[in-house]
Amino acid sequence: MTQTTNSTPSVSGSDPSVMIRLEGLTKRFPGQKVNAVDELTMDIHEGEIVVLVGPSGCGKTTTMKMINRIIEPSSGRIILKGQDVTTTNADDLRRRIGYVIQQVGLFPHMTIGQNIATVPRLIGWSAERVRNRVDELMTMVNMDPDEYRDRYPKQLSGGQQQRIGVARALGGDPSVMLMDEPFGAIDPITRDRLQNEFLRLQSEVRKTIVFVTHDIDEAIKMGDRIAILQEGSRIAQYDTPEQILTAPANDFVKDFIGSGASLKRLNLSRVSEIELSTWPTVTNEDSHERAHELLAASDHSAVLVLDDEGRPVRWAGADDLRRGSGKRLDQVGSVPQAVIEPRATLSDALNELVTARYAVTVVVDERGRYQGVVDIDQINETIRSMRSSAVAEARTEFASEGADPAQGSS
Amino acid sequence: MGFLEFLVKRADDMLELGIAHAVVVGAAVIIATVLGVALGVLTYRHERARDLTLALTGSFLTIPSFALFILLLSPLGLGWRPVLLALVLYGLLPVVRNTITGLRGVDPAIIESAKGMGLNRRQRLLRIELPLAWPVIITGVRVTTLVLLGIAAIGAIVNGPGYGELIFTGLARVGTPVAVNLVLSGAVGVMILAVLFDLIFYAVQRLTTSRGIR
Ligand SMILES: Nc1ncnc2c1ncn2[C@@H]1O[C@H](COP(=O)(O)OP(=O)(O)OP(=O)(O)O)[C@@H](O)[C@H]1O
Ligand SMILES: [Mg+2]
């Protein structure tokens, strides 16, 4: 894509991997007593999706619109690819930056093809090149060019319009995209699909993207890096989703991500990916003595009884064994409820185990045979290792970027 | 003599007067449209200028046409000149008002996305805002045309062109059998022109409005 180690006049001391640098960026709207954006300084690295997220009115949109100067900053600087663009020609700047808004804003009097061709034509591409570009972009966003090229925006569904909005923003192959709640007005199912499509698209085009949302789930899903903003666009934490979830910098971040967030993180790992714990087991052929022995030798309060096939059939505690003395082991105790397969997520496992009798979830293979158990320690362990791998990842990233390792991991 | 007989006998006159009437109104409409759209474009974003323009162009309409024609007589003389100027003044308001309404009615999100794509002020106006406001503007032009067709007839008081001549001649002969036919033929002529202009507008509107906003 774009060359970062080039010889364009650059601001002294700039890091070549930084695509956008905001320096002390401030906006005070006329007649307001406080700054809508107050002395914001942040670096946005090339090829990353940076999500600005925060409560309503904290200044996300204002911040984003200052990058393409739809809103002119009151003070501070915007540096794009090492070049100070705070006071250069705004229209030229905007042609280099794709812009997608929640209301999409397609031009209703133009066809889809004409909409997408807007910037390529503005920057003077040949008719041939523009035509090819339109088809290429429509294909990229999963819209058949031959079917939709000559339609008008009103003949498209909301989701299709937003796809075209994205295609149009990519028109002139900008290196930077600004997206303000692009999927905010779309129903949850379509939104999920558009998000996935967009992530796939981004893996191909590798743009530098500033993405605004007020939805932490969307931020976690979309962001390579998330900036959690407080009133006045003050950065509460600017970090990878893993770091933010596993090591929130302060109470504001903790409150903002809410308790559900770490559970969502658990949704990303499957039971098959972790090492299962063991639990004392007996077969239905074994004697009560054997069960008692096992119980005495372990610090668990029950044994798991397996049938001939190795499938868990009973939990048998010491009391159960006493009460059911003389009965076969598969006749005593209680039937295990919390049983899951390896494909289940850790979040499923956690859900099961909090209600389970012995605070573990039994894992069985697809034929129902006992594999091991998941307990709360393992879930904790997984969260811990997510945290340390996030730290390690962040470190190597910073090291490879040659940046100050202290920066960013606040 | 019946009215139809009268019309047939005077067919050449009717055609000639009709063309003259249409030309002076057409010219006034074109000038009023150019001026009116320009005034609208210049003022729609500034509240004070907008209000002032609407008040001014509106005030022209309050001058009785009879009086205005006669007032313009001394600087411009007899003939089509005072008529054309008066018609332009009367025709401004509907065009200006609809231009302002149309431009202000464009969805801000569309303008913002145009801005965000790097269209400059002129490009936004010419490629986005005016085309989107066009259906409203052309409705104003249509209203202007109908109003001016009627007013133009009064222009005969200063020897202006058009069907007014028939009406004023009829007026001079009130009481004679031909008077009614004269006045009626002038009125019918104006109505026929109104229908023709409307048909033209219908065609122009369809041809100049994108399918995407119909
Ligand atoms: N044009 C404006 N004039 C005056 N104040 C404004 C203007 N635009 C925004 N503000 C104020 O600036 C602050 C930040 O607004 P902004 O739109 O950036 O918030 P946001 O974080 O995008 O919120 P949301 O999640 O609701 O979209 C708010 O207090 C808002 O009222
Ligand atoms: Mg916003």
Side-chain angles (χ1 to χ4, degrees):
Chain A
M1 208 180 77
T2 38
Q3 286 235 281
T4 53
T5 50
N6 56 19
S7 56
T8 48
S10 69
V11 174
S12 62
S14 73
D15 168 356
S17 76
V18 174
M19 179 61 93
I20 306 168
R21 165 166 290 168
L22 308 179
E23 272 182 19
L25 203 60
T26 299
K27 179 68 188 182
R28 159 115 34 137
F29 287 106
Q32 304 289 88
K33 284 197 200 63
V34 294
N35 293 335
V37 174
D38 190 43
E39 291 279 335
L40 174 66
T41 296
M42 76 188 284
D43 282 353
I44 292 162
H45 289 267
E46 179 165 6
E48 285 193 341
I49 302 183
V50 166
V51 180
L52 307 181
V53 65
S56 184
C58 70
K60 307 179 288 292
T61 298
T62 307
T63 301
M64 200 198 79
K65 286 185 183 176
M66 281 196 282
I67 298 174
N68 65 354
R69 291 175 40 215
I70 295 275
I71 294 176
E72 291 285 356
S74 308
S75 64
R77 299 204 300 167
I78 306 145
I79 292 148
L80 186 67
K81 268 201 237 179
Q83 188 200 354
D84 189 334
V85 293
T86 323
T87 54
T88 58
N89 182 301
D91 293 318
D92 289 339
L93 173 68
R94 292 174 192 148
R95 288 172 200 175
R96 294 163 58 194
I97 299 179
Y99 189 50
V100 183
I101 55 178
Q102 180 176 340
Q103 309 88 324
V104 194
L106 293 182
F107 306 140
H109 60 304
M110 297 186 188
T111 62
I112 299 309
Q114 290 167 335
N115 265 281
I116 298 175
T118 307
V119 174
R121 280 187 187 144
L122 273 181
I123 56 182
W125 289 10
S126 69
E128 168 83 15
R129 187 170 170 203
V130 171
R131 217 174 12 253
N132 292 338
R133 181 69 178 156
V134 167
D135 286 5
E136 179 192 15
L137 286 168
M138 290 189 71
T139 311
M140 258 194 217
V141 298
N142 288 338
M143 299 277 289
D144 177 15
D146 291 329
E147 186 174 350
Y148 292 103
R149 192 192 297 113
D150 296 322
R151 289 213 201 172
Y152 286 93
K154 69 173 181 191
Q155 298 166 308
L156 264 51
S157 72
Q160 291 173 328
Q161 290 189 15
Q162 194 52 278
R163 286 199 183 99
I164 298 301
V166 170
R168 183 176 70 167
L170 286 166
D173 205 12
S175 37
V176 173
M177 296 262 283
L178 306 178
M179 309 179 83
D180 192 356
E181 310 212 20
F183 311 128
I186 291 171
D187 70 89
I189 293 170
T190 312
R191 183 190 310 145
D192 208 51
R193 200 163 65 224
L194 290 185
Q195 287 169 341
N196 296 341
E197 281 180 21
F198 185 74
L199 287 173
R200 180 190 47 72
L201 180 65
Q202 164 67 356
S203 70
E204 292 165 23
V205 297
R206 288 261 142 237
K207 302 295 182 193
T208 305
I209 295 168
V210 180
F211 188 110
V212 167
T213 179
H214 58 258
D215 176 0
I216 184 69
D217 293 330
E218 184 169 59
I220 291 165
K221 178 167 183 183
M222 304 302 288
D224 292 312
R225 219 172 278 274
I226 298 175
I228 298 192
L229 302 178
Q230 274 169 282
E231 187 96 346
S233 261
R234 267 178 284 270
I235 296 180
Q237 187 169 7
Y238 181 29
D239 225 321
T240 59
E242 287 79 6
Q243 283 285 353
I244 286 190
L245 287 173
T246 50
N250 50 44
D251 287 345
F252 180 83
V253 174
K254 260 184 221 153
D255 286 348
F256 191 75
I257 60 184
S259 52
S262 24
L263 288 183
K264 272 175 202 98
R265 200 60 212 155
L266 290 176
N267 257 321
L268 300 179
S269 341
R270 301 197 174 274
V271 169
S272 57
E273 292 161 10
I274 62 168
E275 200 168 327
L276 300 176
S277 289
T278 55
W279 193 273
T281 59
V282 293
T283 68
N284 51 15
E285 309 294 345
D286 281 331
S287 64
H288 280 234
E289 284 69 42
R290 170 90 185 117
H292 278 296
E293 263 169 43
L294 276 173
L295 269 182
S298 78
D299 50 5
H300 297 297
S301 52
V303 292
L304 189 60
V305 183
L306 308 179
D307 68 7
D308 306 334
E309 307 281 331
R311 292 180 298 220
V313 286
R314 292 280 162 165
W315 282 117
D319 282 348
D320 299 322
L321 290 170
R322 248 191 314 281
R323 246 180 282 129
S325 63
K327 288 185 184 167
R328 273 165 57 105
L329 283 177
D330 58 2
Q331 304 296 315
V332 303
S334 54
V335 178
Q337 301 293 342
V339 179
I340 57 172
E341 289 193 16
R343 247 188 331 227
T345 65
L346 286 189
S347 170
D348 297 332
L350 181 61
N351 263 332
E352 292 290 339
L353 83 79
V354 291
T355 53
R357 177 138 177 214
Y358 296 101
V360 292
T361 302
V362 179
V363 181
V364 297
D365 66 11
E366 64 276 11
R367 284 156 66 185
R369 289 174 306 200
Y370 169 78
Q371 300 293 301
V373 299
V374 178
D375 59 29
I376 190 73
D377 290 339
Q378 281 165 295
I379 306 244
N380 276 334
E381 180 56 37
T382 308
I383 293 174
R384 253 197 307 279
S385 73
M386 276 174 188
R387 184 180 300 148
S388 58
S389 73
V391 171
E393 200 174 293
R395 278 210 188 102
T396 52
E397 228 169 77
F398 280 120
S400 70
E401 283 162 3
D404 175 7
Q407 179 193 15
S409 51
S410 44
Chain B
M1 190 164 46
F3 178 59
L4 284 178
E5 254 178 279
F6 178 88
L7 276 186
V8 173
K9 203 168 137 230
R10 294 288 199 100
D12 285 354
D13 262 2
M14 285 297 285
L15 189 64
E16 204 175 305
L17 290 174
I19 290 171
H21 201 109
V23 167
V24 77
V25 169
V29 166
I30 289 170
I31 296 170
T33 301
V34 171
L35 288 179
V37 170
L39 278 174
V41 164
L42 288 175
T43 60
Y44 78 105
R45 303 206 297 178
H46 313 282
E47 193 184 339
R48 293 267 292 283
R50 207 162 64 213
D51 292 348
L52 195 72
T53 311
L54 289 175
L56 190 73
T57 52
S59 70
F60 295 140
L61 276 176
T62 63
I63 310 173
S65 50
F66 221 82
L68 187 56
F69 285 126
I70 293 168
L71 284 175
L72 292 175
L73 191 59
S74 63
L76 297 174
L78 286 171
W80 59 269
R81 286 191 184 83
V83 177
L84 185 65
L85 181 57
L87 292 185
V88 168
L89 295 181
Y90 284 127
L92 282 175
L93 180 70
V95 179
V96 172
R97 201 186 42 206
N98 281 35
T99 302
I100 289 175
T101 309
L103 288 173
R104 280 167 58 80
V106 176
D107 180 354
I110 292 171
I111 297 174
E112 187 180 316
S113 72
K115 205 170 172 182
M117 293 167 80
L119 276 78
N120 62 32
R121 175 82 196 96
R122 225 177 82 98
Q123 291 163 333
R124 290 202 297 275
L125 188 68
L126 294 180
R127 299 188 196 181
I128 310 295
E129 296 179 63
L130 280 174
L132 289 177
W134 184 243
V136 183
I137 296 174
I138 201 166
T139 306
V141 176
R142 208 160 157 177
V143 171
T144 283
T145 308
L146 295 181
V147 170
L148 295 193
L149 280 170
I151 295 177
I154 316 290
I157 193 77
V158 291
N159 278 359
Y163 287 122
E165 192 184 317
L166 294 174
I167 295 169
F168 279 91
T169 314
L171 195 61
R173 299 191 192 173
V174 168
T176 67
V178 77
V180 174
N181 279 343
L182 281 168
V183 173
L184 205 54
S185 59
V188 167
V190 171
M191 281 161 65
I192 292 171
L193 280 185
V195 171
L196 288 179
F197 268 106
D198 232 34
L199 284 176
I200 292 172
F201 272 112
Y202 180 76
V204 170
Q205 184 157 18
R206 276 202 80 85
L207 289 175
T208 56
T209 305
S210 153
R211 266 202 300 132
I213 51 174
R214 277 214 289 267

